[in-house]
């Protein structure tokens, strides 16, 4: 084979574009009639006239993320190694406006026309700076003065009272909250507590509101063989069911069914 590149705008370019676009739009479920024409900037412009309505977020005559993604995919499939690139532009219901592009010659002319400043000119344009003054010596450290009673230093005694306040208040106790009772919720929680006590399994409720944690703690009152308490802080706070007699997990499975009765004693 010779080292010459295959021209993308050859005789088979338009049929390839039509075939790929027709297949892609058919797989998307939005078949369209294609109108191809050569654009002024050298690209191939394609107007998509959808036959059964436009895809979501696509409006005729306007750009959209759907068409931009389809255009990017199409050009990636067309521009293979060894083939001269020719860009394909897509538009919904009409031909897209060509994007302005600056060619290499215009960029070179703009760079040549830019003024060049030499190092000497830059130094002459920069005003001379006065010499920096020597830094003043740091004052000698003064000994800390004691207060009149000979106690802690006066500077420490003058600290504001709020600095000694606790940084974060403790979590509120859900048992003290007054919440409305939900009979169905209460029955389900009591059954889980009884299950934890009978099977010796640990359970926990996470990502619950403070009011729901309060309902859980009030619902398990009177259930024996299990201890239920709220643990953790902030988003990690949860309600934990701890059986009085924990039972080991069955040896035959790491994730047994909770309803199994063959738990090892």
């Amino acid at each position: 084979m010779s080292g010459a590149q295959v021209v993308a705008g050859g005789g088979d370019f338009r049929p390839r574009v039509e075939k790929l676009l027709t297949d892609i739009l058919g797989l998307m479920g939005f078949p369209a009639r294609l109108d191809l024409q050569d654009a002024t900037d050298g690209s191939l412009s394609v107007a998509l006239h959808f036959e059964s309505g436009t895809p979501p977020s696509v409006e005729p005559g306007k750009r959209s993320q759907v068409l931009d993604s389809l255009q990017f995919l199409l050009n990636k499939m067309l521009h293979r190694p060894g083939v001269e690139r020719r860009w394909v532009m897509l538009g919904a219901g009409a031909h897209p406006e060509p994007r302005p592009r600056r060619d290499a010659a215009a960029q070179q002319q703009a760079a040549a026309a830019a003024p060049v400043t030499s190092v000497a000119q830059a130094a002459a344009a920069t005003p001379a700076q006065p010499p920096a003054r020597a830094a003043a010596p740091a004052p000698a450290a003064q000994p800390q003065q004691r207060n009149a009673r000979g106690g802690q230093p006066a500077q420490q005694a003058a600290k504001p009272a709020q600095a000694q306040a606790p940084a974060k208040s403790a979590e509120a106790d859900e048992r003290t909250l007054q919440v409305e009772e939900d009979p169905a919720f209460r029955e389900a929680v009591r059954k889980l507590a009884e299950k934890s006590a009978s099977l010796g399994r640990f359970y926990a409720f996470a990502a619950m509101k403070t009011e729901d944690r309060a309902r859980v703690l009030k619902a398990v009152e009177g259930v024996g063989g299990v201890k239920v308490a709220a643990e953790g802080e902030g988003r990690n706070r949860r309600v934990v069911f701890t059986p009085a007699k924990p039972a080991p997990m069955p040896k035959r499975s790491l994730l047994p069914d909770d309803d199994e009765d063959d738990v090892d004693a």
Side-chain angles (χ1 to χ4, degrees), residues 146-253:
R146 298 284 178 172
N147 55 17
R149 298 181 179 180
Q152 60 182 356
Q155 295 179 356
Q156 297 181 2
K159 289 184 178 179
Q162 59 268 23
Q164 301 177 1
K168 184 177 181 181
S169 59
E171 293 286 347
D173 187 3
E174 290 84 350
R175 298 182 186 274
T176 61
L177 297 179
Q178 299 296 330
V179 292
E180 183 179 357
E181 184 178 354
D182 186 346
F185 183 83
R186 180 178 183 276
E187 182 65 20
V189 172
R190 290 185 68 87
K191 286 185 178 180
L192 182 62
E194 295 171 354
K195 191 174 184 180
S196 176
S198 61
L199 297 179
R201 301 287 177 83
F202 292 82
Y203 297 99
F205 285 136
M208 298 184 71
K209 296 182 179 179
T210 306
E211 294 79 3
D212 292 335
R213 291 197 298 267
R215 292 187 179 94
V216 173
L217 296 177
K218 292 182 182 298
V220 298
E221 293 179 354
V223 179
V226 63
K227 176 184 176 182
V228 184
E231 301 178 358
E233 296 180 357
R235 297 181 179 180
N236 296 326
R237 193 163 178 80
R238 59 197 179 277
V239 181
V240 181
F241 292 70
T242 305
K245 297 181 179 180
M249 299 289 287
K251 297 180 181 180
R252 63 171 183 160
S253 175

Side-chain angles (χ1 to χ4, degrees), residues 20-31:
L20 288 174
L21 266 179
T22 302
D23 294 344
I24 295 174
L25 294 174
L27 293 174
M28 293 173 59
F30 294 96

